Amino acid sequence: MSDKPFETHRLRSTSEAPDSRAVAARLAALSHPARIEILKHLSASNSCCCREVVDRFDLAQSTVSQHLKILVEAGLVRFEPDRQRSRYAIDHAALADVSASLTALVNSCCSGR
Amino acid sequence: MSDKPFETHRLRSTSEAPDSRAVAARLAALSHPARIEILKHLSASNSCCCREVVDRFDLAQSTVSQHLKILVEAGLVRFEPDRQRSRYAIDHAALADVSASLTALVNSCCSGR
DNA sequence: ATCGTTTATCGCCGATGGACGATGAGTGAC
DNA sequence: GTCACTCATCGTCCATCGGCGATAAACGAT
């Protein structure tokens, strides 16, 4: 009944905009410097197994695996098991989509001025 | 000595790229649905005092104040005390800058393919 | 079968985030 | 002055994040 976007801490799922929650969730996956660096590394490399990322950064294997999992769950990185390795690759379309969402948000904010 | 981007959990401050930490920090400010909605509201309104935001969303005044503070500290919203009110306004330039940073990141990732 | 490698997951822990209510300061109206 | 209103901040609570080491599973090689 309320016309407010929140109902006790939860956003309404109005069928209108790209849903602030979805945008926020994907931005959250990008809001950690390690994950940004990992994304850059994935884009520069083509092997992209977990171990390679671990070798490149001073982070424990478990930590890297966790970051990769977050990126995969956010849909920004695709995962494909390959023998005993795990192949991680950037989902360029998804990444472009996030960028577009943010640009759209910014534009909507600027149009209101 | 290390050529790795991290040195025991801290990013090197290489004088090169837009610094993943800075980008991550600003994206973190955007990675909460309430703050996205608040930004949208600020862009659609021109009064933009804290109370108005409180009235619009089902959030406690202290919670809204905290969200606004985060947006201000991230440099995305400008703050100006006005009598007993507090005037909040979107910093369009900063917002555009964040969007540009993300776009640049995405582009750099796509160029590497 | 055994070893080495790679990976995901678990448990733990300190730090942070996000919500709230309560409080106090500041302002305007009376 | 007092009252009402607005706001920032404090303290508290709980959940999540982000790091690590340890462990177990899966696979390749010997």
Side-chain angles (χ1 to χ4, degrees):
Chain A
M1 303 305 290
S2 170
D3 198 25
K4 300 178 179 180
F6 293 135
E7 287 181 345
T8 45
H9 312 164
R10 304 206 66 79
L11 281 169
R12 283 195 311 166
S13 59
T14 47
S15 55
E16 35 162 57
D19 194 355
S20 301
R21 277 174 303 182
V23 177
R26 291 186 296 177
L27 290 180
L30 289 170
S31 67
H32 193 290
R35 290 195 285 271
I36 291 181
E37 291 295 326
I38 289 175
L39 275 183
K40 289 181 183 174
H41 179 64
L42 290 185
S43 75
S45 172
N46 31 11
S47 60
C48 311
C49 68
C50 180
R51 179 81 204 304
E52 183 183 341
V53 179
V54 172
D55 286 342
R56 182 128 166 64
F57 302 101
D58 279 343
L59 291 173
Q61 181 268 329
S62 57
T63 303
V64 170
S65 182
Q66 182 66 15
H67 280 310
L68 287 170
K69 183 182 180 181
I70 291 173
L71 289 171
V72 169
E73 287 179 343
L76 303 179
V77 166
R78 279 172 294 123
F79 163 73
E80 185 182 6
D82 175 25
R83 315 292 179 177
Q84 77 276 29
R85 300 285 185 86
S86 289
R87 308 276 305 160
Y88 290 98
I90 286 189
D91 188 328
H92 295 89
L95 211 49
D97 194 50
V98 177
S99 178
S101 294
L102 180 55
T103 299
L105 169 65
V106 170
N107 285 342
S108 77
C109 285
C110 286
S111 67
R113 70 186 306 258
Chain B
M1 307 299 290
S2 170
D3 197 26
K4 300 177 179 180
F6 292 136
E7 289 181 344
T8 46
H9 310 165
R10 304 205 68 77
L11 282 171
R12 285 195 311 168
S13 59
T14 47
S15 56
E16 35 162 55
D19 193 356
S20 300
R21 278 173 303 182
V23 177
R26 291 186 296 176
L27 290 180
L30 289 170
S31 67
H32 193 290
R35 290 195 286 272
I36 291 181
E37 290 295 325
I38 289 175
L39 276 182
K40 289 181 183 175
H41 179 63
L42 290 186
S43 75
S45 173
N46 31 12
S47 59
C48 310
C49 69
C50 180
R51 179 80 205 301
E52 184 183 339
V53 180
V54 172
D55 286 342
R56 180 126 166 64
F57 302 100
D58 279 341
L59 291 173
Q61 180 267 329
S62 57
T63 303
V64 171
S65 183
Q66 182 67 13
H67 279 311
L68 287 169
K69 184 182 180 183
I70 290 173
L71 289 171
V72 169
E73 287 178 343
L76 303 179
V77 165
R78 280 172 294 124
F79 163 75
E80 185 182 6
D82 175 26
R83 315 291 179 179
Q84 77 277 29
R85 300 287 183 84
S86 289
R87 307 276 304 164
Y88 291 98
I90 286 188
D91 188 329
H92 296 88
L95 211 50
D97 194 51
V98 178
S99 177
S101 295
L102 180 55
T103 299
L105 169 65
V106 170
N107 285 341
S108 77
C109 285
C110 287
S111 67
R113 70 187 305 260

